[in-house]
Amino acid sequence: MQGCEVGTKLRYWLTLISGMLECLCFAGVVFGYASLVFVLKKDGYFSELCSSDTGSNSTLKEADCSNQDEQFSLVFTIASFLNNFLSLINGYLFDRFGTMVTRLLAILNLGVVQSKDRW
């Protein structure tokens, strides 16, 4: 029975390490979104929603980007909601089927989404 205990400990540590790696790689997009917005604005996402206004006494153009900010806020709200809602579904899948099946479903789902983006 000594071999079973070693295999169980190894499986426990591998599960813990891979879970931590997943959190480090993928959870930062939602939780680090405030910093990501600056990069997205610099890259020009939703820049078509900005309108430039010229003042009567000013020669400089000032851009009104409130619509762009609203769009970024909407993206964050939807991502945050889906993160919380899908945690409920993930919890059920983990309890019902276990870690390996849940992760395989997530990988297959990610593969389907990526293949649709290519076409």
Side-chain angles (χ1 to χ4, degrees), residues 8 29 33 40 51 88 93 115 118:
T8 303
V29 174
Y33 190 74
L40 294 174
S51 61
L88 176 68
L93 290 174
S115 67
R118 291 182 192 160

Side-chain angles (χ1 to χ4, degrees), residues 46-96:
F46 305 122
S47 61
E48 68 275 359
L49 298 175
C50 291
S51 61
S52 24
D53 296 329
T54 55
S56 58
N57 295 334
S58 174
T59 58
L60 298 175
K61 292 184 178 182
E62 296 179 15
D64 176 30
C65 293
S66 60
N67 291 336
Q68 182 187 31
D69 292 335
E70 287 177 9
Q71 197 69 20
F72 281 124
S73 179
L74 178 65
V75 168
F76 175 74
T77 302
I78 292 171
S80 182
F81 169 76
L82 286 175
N83 182 35
N84 292 326
F85 179 73
L86 293 176
S87 293
L88 176 68
I89 295 171
N90 257 355
Y92 173 75
L93 290 174
F94 271 116
D95 287 343
R96 179 84 169 119

